[in-house]
Structures are given as structure tokens and as C-alpha cells.
Amino acid sequence: IEETDLLFVFCEAFDQDTSSSDGLFTFDRKPKKVVKYLTKPRIVFTNRTWYGDLHLMKGRVLNISNPKDYKILTRINVGGGWRTKPYDAYPTIPIEEDFSWQVPIITGGIDYICTEVKVYLVKSDYNPRYESWPDSSDVIATAQIIREERRQ
């Protein structure tokens, strides 16, 4: 939904009876798929970095109640190899009180030519293993961006 220009308005919270379908919840008060989608934790990027840029990657986490309960794990693809950011020794970053986060993805070497960025929302007590991918059971939400060359 966030990737479209579609605007919509719901007029009813609940379907009036079993034959209507204009609410967010069914007649018997069960949430419909759209409610489940809109309320699950998500990561969104708030800036666009291009191939070769030296900017911070920034974003927000949606649909969590306390940012201190979570943190962000970031991996970048450089020349086919994946690297942890900002550093292997500091593989995660906190989420700010306003639910924003920012991570330096360019910390040296040839990081500026990274082509992909993957960001994971994990619990605050998660401790990643050196150069390993998080298990699916550790991941609350994920987002990915492809860094393309800037179009003129």
C-alpha cells in the first residue's frame, strides 16, 4: 500500500452482518487480512541512497510499542560478499524514541559500491554470530533496497 498512490477510506470498523464486507473486521469481530498486514511490525526506508553515495541509510520501524525492545541489524552486498554494518564488533544499532534509525553503511574500503542493503528488526537481546545471517526465528521484520546508479 505504501508503494502506491492509492488513497482509501474505511467507513465501518465491523461488517454489519455476514453479507456485508465494508469493515476492517468481520461480523464476528475477527480482523481481516488488511488489518493483520497494517498492524504487523515493518521497516521502511526514509531516504534513498544511490550506488556510490556516502550517505547514511535511514528508516523507521512501524507498529512496535517500545523501540528499546528492538534493534536493527544491517548487511550490505559488496562485490557479491555480504558485510555487517556498521562494524562486525558493533553489528546492531538502537532504534530511537521516535522509532527512527540510521546506520552508516559506508565505513571504509569499497563499501561505497555496495549494491544491496538488507535491514532486519530483531529483539534487543539478539546477539548475532560473526558474519552469519540471522535465523528466521530471530527476525521480526526485514526490508531490502537495491542501490542503483543515479539517473540523470
Side-chain angles (χ1 to χ4, degrees):
I1 294 175
E2 68 199 26
E3 296 172 2
T4 70
D5 292 328
L6 180 67
L7 299 176
F8 57 93
V9 175
F10 289 100
C11 298
E12 299 286 337
F14 300 97
D15 291 345
Q16 296 299 311
D17 55 38
T18 55
S19 65
S20 69
S21 62
D22 54 351
L24 294 170
F25 298 85
T26 62
F27 176 70
D28 55 352
R29 308 277 196 244
K30 293 180 181 161
K32 293 184 178 179
K33 283 184 180 182
V34 69
V35 173
K36 292 178 183 178
Y37 171 78
L38 292 174
T39 58
K40 72 179 184 175
R42 293 188 298 151
I43 300 169
V44 294
F45 295 104
T46 57
N47 72 325
R48 176 73 165 109
T49 66
W50 299 95
Y51 179 85
D53 278 351
L54 303 177
H55 304 294
L56 294 170
M57 182 61 66
K58 298 178 183 180
R60 294 184 68 79
V61 179
L62 306 176
N63 302 325
I64 60 172
S65 57
N66 186 354
K68 292 180 181 180
D69 292 339
Y70 303 90
K71 55 189 177 181
I72 296 291
L73 172 68
T74 305
R75 305 289 307 274
I76 67 169
N77 185 336
V78 180
W82 289 91
R83 300 177 182 187
T84 302
K85 291 297 164 183
Y87 302 100
D88 288 328
Y90 303 99
T92 59
I93 56 159
I95 300 167
E96 301 298 327
E97 288 183 15
D98 66 355
F99 302 94
S100 68
W101 54 268
Q102 59 182 13
V103 60
I105 59 172
I106 313 302
T107 57
I110 58 171
D111 290 348
Y112 66 94
I113 64 166
C114 76
T115 55
E116 293 177 77
V117 179
K118 290 187 179 183
V119 179
Y120 301 89
L121 177 66
V122 294
K123 291 281 195 174
S124 60
D125 61 355
Y126 173 72
N127 292 309
R129 295 178 303 280
Y130 177 75
E131 287 296 318
S132 67
W133 291 94
D135 294 330
S136 61
S137 61
D138 295 319
V139 175
I140 310 299
T142 187
Q144 177 179 350
I145 194 164
I146 305 296
R147 286 174 31 114
E148 301 170 331
E149 290 188 32
R150 187 182 304 270
R151 296 186 185 104
Q152 301 287 343

